Amino acid sequence: MLGKIHLLQGDLDKAIEIYKKAVEFSPENTELLTTLGLLYLQLGVYQKAFEHLGNALTYDPANYKAILAAGSMMQTHGDFDVALTKYRVVACAIPESPPLWNNIGMCFFGKKKYVAAISCLKRANYLAPFDWKILYNLGLVHLTMQQYASAFHFLSAAINFQPKMGELYMLLAVALTNLEDIENARRAYVEAVRLDKCNPLVNLNYAVLLYNQGEKKSALAQYQEMEKKVSFLKDNSPLEFDSEMVEMAQKLGAALQVGEALVWTKPVKDPKSKHRTNSGSKSATLQQPLGSIQALGQAMSSAAAYRKILSGAVGAQLPKPPSLPLEPEPEPTVEASPTEASEQKKEK
């Protein structure tokens, strides 16, 4: 109970210390082992999370909470088939769990089975209509499928529940841009830039919009702000940037005549780059639309995974993936958050 109180107060470190002492007194208590594993998972300490969840499953192989958490960890690292196998076991125990169907949906999204992903996510949304993470994922999947009106619907709903998350405004701006509502897209980008101080994708997408509107000076300002964020991230984390983002940043840099390798000292190799559309202009004088799909559509697809890395810089304790994938790893799908570990056990 003392650990639960610390969780309600948001003090994760003290909660972990309390649960560690509890496990020393009751090493075979699967509930304590699972809760401690979930807390380590939320902090991104995967080794300790796997150790405690594994111990819980050793004592109780049918512990659906531990199985769901283990599946979430596998899903975070791209093992979608293995994660789905785990979720099948959980579905027998808790078939009406919103986090379960959310995770299953994002597994299908990772496998690029978008119709199945939407089906599962809508079931999760039916079971938990006020969960902003599910709405976020639905918006992301619809954006990927270029169903921009539906994406706008779900992202707007997510913003109502999570109004201080800059990334949501960025994705909303992407949808509005493709719906040809440039004025409101610009307002969404301004709000995204104000709220999100770490994610360079926000500035990159905003710069592309400004460039396409012929506002070079403003686009250059956003590009330079993006470079600052990238430099900061390179100095403080070993991540590799999404190849789509690197490619579009280089195209925009060339179009703005600021060089192609100011920050991208080691661009990620992209084997598919030869097959991408050449909608980006290499010349600043032609003023052709720059990457209307690449930067505004595909580049945003890494936003969900990117938030894991970026939020660590602003103090949020979230798991960090090894790199930025082209298709986003579903950060909102990590089923067990520390604040929910003691409150949503029935759902899990």
Side-chain angles (χ1 to χ4, degrees):
M1 291 305 298
L2 185 58
K4 289 181 180 180
I5 292 173
H6 284 306
L7 287 177
L8 291 172
Q9 291 180 331
D11 194 337
L12 303 186
D13 294 331
K14 287 186 178 180
I16 287 178
E17 290 301 318
I18 293 295
Y19 280 115
K20 284 170 67 176
K21 290 181 180 179
V23 168
E24 290 177 6
F25 288 113
S26 304
E28 297 184 7
N29 189 313
T30 56
E31 183 178 353
L32 292 174
L33 288 169
T34 302
T35 302
L36 190 55
L38 296 179
L39 289 171
Y40 279 125
L41 177 61
Q42 185 68 15
L43 292 174
V45 186
Y46 294 113
Q47 186 62 39
K48 289 186 177 180
F50 191 80
E51 176 185 341
H52 288 88
L53 292 172
N55 290 338
L57 290 172
T58 300
Y59 295 117
D60 182 10
N63 187 328
Y64 64 83
K65 288 179 282 188
I67 296 173
L68 185 55
S72 175
M73 193 157 41
M74 295 169 186
Q75 181 177 350
T76 300
H77 289 87
D79 297 329
F80 301 118
D81 291 320
V82 180
L84 283 171
T85 302
K86 297 289 185 184
Y87 294 150
R88 286 193 188 98
V89 178
V90 179
C92 296
I94 46 170
E96 295 186 356
S97 167
L100 170 65
W101 289 105
N102 183 64
N103 286 12
I104 292 174
M106 294 314 288
C107 273
F108 283 125
F109 179 63
K111 292 164 65 69
K112 299 186 179 181
K113 296 182 178 180
Y114 301 128
V115 176
I118 288 177
S119 178
C120 295
L121 287 170
K122 285 193 173 180
R123 180 166 183 174
N125 180 239
Y126 172 78
L127 295 168
F130 302 125
D131 190 330
W132 71 268
K133 296 179 183 180
I134 298 172
L135 295 166
Y136 177 107
N137 286 337
L138 276 166
L140 193 65
V141 177
H142 281 293
L143 272 180
T144 305
M145 295 184 70
Q146 300 183 14
Q147 297 175 348
Y148 303 114
S150 296
F152 174 83
H153 169 76
F154 290 112
L155 291 170
S156 297
I159 286 175
N160 286 332
F161 297 115
Q162 194 76 4
K164 294 185 179 180
M165 182 179 174
E167 205 166 272
L168 280 170
Y169 287 95
M170 180 191 74
L171 297 181
L172 185 69
V174 171
L176 288 167
T177 301
N178 285 280
L179 291 171
E180 300 182 358
D181 188 350
I182 303 302
E183 182 181 352
N184 285 319
R186 185 192 298 265
R187 290 176 181 172
Y189 274 127
V190 169
E191 188 68 12
V193 170
R194 185 182 72 84
L195 293 170
D196 196 320
K197 303 299 182 183
C198 298
N199 190 343
L201 279 174
V202 174
N203 302 96
L204 176 60
N205 283 340
Y206 191 17
V208 170
L209 175 69
L210 292 170
Y211 177 85
N212 288 339
Q213 297 303 308
E215 301 180 26
K216 280 188 171 184
K217 290 184 178 180
S218 300
L220 180 59
Q222 291 300 322
Y223 186 87
Q224 291 172 339
E225 186 65 27
M226 177 202 67
E227 287 185 321
K228 293 178 184 178
K229 293 180 179 180
V230 168
S231 299
F232 176 80
L233 290 171
K234 278 193 170 186
D235 295 337
N236 292 276
S237 62
L239 62 91
E240 292 181 358
F241 293 97
D242 176 35
S243 57
E244 193 82 42
M245 176 182 172
V246 174
E247 180 184 353
M248 188 47 55
Q250 289 174 337
K251 287 182 179 180
L252 182 60
L256 292 171
Q257 296 181 329
V258 292
E260 294 191 8
L262 294 181
V263 233
W264 316 104
T265 54
K266 293 182 180 180
V268 181
K269 293 182 180 179
D270 185 4
K272 299 181 181 179
S273 60
K274 295 182 180 179
H275 304 289
R276 301 201 190 284
T277 175
N278 294 320
S279 58
S281 170
K282 293 286 184 179
S283 169
T285 59
L286 297 179
Q287 279 288 351
Q288 296 178 359
L290 179 67
S292 57
I293 296 299
Q294 280 72 22
L296 295 174
Q298 294 295 337
M300 64 82 202
S301 68
S302 57
Y306 206 83
R307 182 173 174 266
K308 286 189 195 177
I309 300 167
L310 300 168
S311 53
V314 297
Q317 301 295 335
L318 294 169
K320 298 182 180 180
S323 63
L324 285 176
L326 181 60
E327 293 296 341
E329 295 172 9
E331 181 272 335
T333 68
V334 176
E335 184 271 340
S337 64
T339 58
E340 295 170 350
S342 62
E343 296 177 354
Q344 294 188 351
K345 292 180 179 178
K346 292 182 180 179
E347 287 184 354
K348 297 173 188 173

